[in-house]
Amino acid sequence: MFDCIIVGAGPAGGAAAYHLAKRGHSVLVIEKDAWPRQKPCGGGVSPAIAKWFDFDLTPAISTTVEKIRYTWKLGDPVETEIVKPMWMVRRDIFDQYLMQQAVDQGAKLQTQTEVTGIKFKGSSWQVSTNAEPLEAKYLIAADGAKGPMAKWLGLKQSTLRQSMVAEFPSSPGQIPSFEFGMVKNGSIWGFPKADSYSISIATFRGGESKDLNKDLIQYASKLGMTTYNSISEHPLCLWDGDKTLHTQNALLAGDAASLADPLSAEGIRPSILSGVKAAEAIDQALGGASNALEKYTQVMQQEWGADMAWAGRLAGLFYRFPGIAYKAGVKVPVATQLISKILCGEMRYADVVDKAMKSLSPF
């Protein structure tokens, strides 16, 4: 009998496991894949996550970037500095490092173990797996965008958005790049790592494109990158409104909770935030607080969902008039400065949406 079983060893699961184990609770993390595992992901993460941990994250950071490049339909380029440097990570290294900190605190990690069913019986969760059955007082479902836990718990998840990622060999001087206009209702972004350059493509609104693979390859070719291993699907679970994230002795966290930014697709920071807050809630519940899990839903709505409502409004405006938004918004250096402050937690979308709408109103 564990105090908590966490399904999924990604950033949300790792953060939750670390903070629960540090508080002295018995924690088991179940991961269906071998470990460490490759994870299709752009790998951009805000240094703001450091405030949630009391250990050095530097060993898990592949590189740090201070500039961004934008293009519109492969032309009209602009390069600008960002106010706050951003971290780039390889998910196999980053996720493993975070989980190792949890293990060092006493959490247990069980890999190549797939959950096949769950049932709440008496006062605990019975968890069936492809190995032995397991039992815990509480569950955290952090099994990602495609995981079954949210459905099994009877909790709603956002509709998945199609996204593709490919890794290319790195070359000197590469910086993050964003291409707008080439993909209807979406964008392409490339992030450098120490040993590779990842290119991602996704749609954020409307119907799905059937040509994302083709568009990604065409974009990479225009940049002179033609060698890649394969293109991997990485569905996005974008925030599209507040949802209930708790049920009987269980919580959703990370991509399973549909937290990705509907404008930027940022997912690692909100995943870690949800893991931290989920650990706090379960710690309180184990201490006897009867409404701790309900408060978790409220906290995530207040600290993340409220601002994602503004991000969603801005995304709707941007993708309705992308050409105008690029010229009047993206290309203006202050826009990058504002977004970097938002990603670092120093500002909120609510602080900039009115200004953005006013700048576009003459058009």
Side-chain angles (χ1 to χ4, degrees):
M1 169 72 79
F2 291 91
D3 288 334
C4 183
I5 287 178
I6 301 170
V7 182
Y18 176 79
H19 286 287
L20 278 170
K22 188 179 178 184
R23 288 174 167 88
H25 300 299
S26 59
V27 181
L28 173 66
V29 181
I30 301 173
E31 170 58 46
K32 68 177 181 179
D33 295 320
W35 195 256
R37 50 91 176 95
Q38 295 292 331
K39 176 71 175 179
C41 180
V45 60
S46 168
I49 65 170
K51 66 185 177 184
W52 294 318
F53 302 104
D54 56 1
F55 55 84
D56 183 17
L57 285 162
T58 303
I61 309 306
S62 179
T63 189
T64 300
V65 299
E66 298 179 352
K67 291 183 177 181
I68 290 179
R69 185 175 187 268
Y70 306 107
T71 55
W72 171 258
K73 294 186 177 180
L74 301 174
D76 195 13
V78 59
E79 185 175 308
T80 183
E81 293 186 356
I82 56 179
V83 175
K84 297 287 185 179
M86 295 295 294
W87 288 342
M88 299 291 143
V89 302
R90 279 184 48 181
R91 286 290 302 278
D92 54 339
I93 294 174
F94 181 81
D95 293 3
Q96 182 186 30
Y97 181 79
L98 186 56
M99 185 55 64
Q100 185 59 52
Q101 310 309 307
V103 170
D104 290 346
Q105 292 292 330
K108 297 183 182 300
L109 173 63
Q110 188 168 315
T111 62
Q112 294 181 291
T113 302
E114 185 173 2
V115 177
T116 57
I118 56 173
K119 183 178 181 180
F120 192 75
K121 186 176 181 180
S123 59
S124 64
W125 282 100
Q126 315 296 311
V127 181
S128 301
T129 74
N130 59 349
E132 74 278 11
L134 302 165
E135 187 175 3
K137 298 173 186 175
Y138 290 88
L139 278 182
I140 295 178
D143 55 335
K146 295 192 295 184
M149 291 290 291
K151 181 178 179 181
W152 290 347
L153 290 170
L155 298 173
K156 187 179 179 182
Q157 197 180 39
S158 297
T159 301
L160 298 183
R161 301 296 307 183
Q162 185 183 19
S163 172
M164 304 290 178
V165 185
E167 295 288 335
F168 295 81
S170 61
S171 59
Q174 288 178 316
I175 62 174
S177 59
F178 290 84
E179 157 57 30
F180 301 101
M182 188 174 172
V183 180
K184 184 178 180 181
N185 292 320
S187 62
I188 306 173
W189 59 99
F191 288 167
K193 317 288 177 26
D195 56 357
S196 66
Y197 191 84
S198 64
I199 296 181
S200 305
I201 185 170
T203 57
F204 293 81
R205 301 245 164 202
E208 300 283 12
S209 170
K210 297 180 181 180
D211 299 318
L212 289 186
N213 282 16
K214 177 182 175 182
D215 291 340
L216 191 157
I217 294 171
Q218 179 185 357
Y219 174 72
S221 178
K222 292 287 185 180
L223 298 182
M225 295 186 287
T226 57
T227 303
Y228 62 94
N229 293 327
S230 63
I231 298 178
S232 302
E233 183 180 2
H234 174 49
L236 301 176
C237 215
L238 302 176
W239 184 95
D240 63 357
D242 287 337
K243 295 177 177 61
T244 299
L245 303 180
H246 70 282
T247 185
Q248 179 71 59
N249 287 39
L251 302 174
L252 296 185
D255 284 343
S258 307
L259 300 175
D261 187 320
L263 179 64
S264 70
E266 180 192 16
I268 298 177
R269 180 167 62 114
S271 289
I272 291 177
L273 170 65
S274 68
V276 172
K277 296 302 179 182
E280 291 176 359
I282 288 179
D283 174 60
Q284 292 166 7
L286 287 165
S290 60
N291 62 343
L293 302 196
E294 180 182 356
K295 283 187 175 180
Y296 167 74
T297 290
Q298 296 171 356
V299 166
M300 289 305 300
Q301 290 174 356
Q302 293 165 1
E303 296 194 18
W304 187 253
D307 208 41
M308 288 305 99
W310 290 105
R313 293 186 182 103
L314 195 55
L317 183 66
F318 184 93
Y319 291 111
R320 186 179 179 188
F321 307 106
I324 294 172
Y326 184 80
K327 287 181 168 56
V330 173
K331 287 189 66 176
V332 179
V334 70
T336 297
Q337 296 171 10
L338 292 174
I339 289 295
S340 66
K341 287 184 177 181
I342 288 171
L343 296 178
C344 287
E346 294 184 1
M347 293 186 68
R348 297 171 68 87
Y349 281 111
D351 301 324
V352 304
V353 169
D354 283 344
K355 184 183 292 186
M357 295 183 73
K358 288 177 181 177
S359 68
L360 295 176
S361 62
F363 301 94

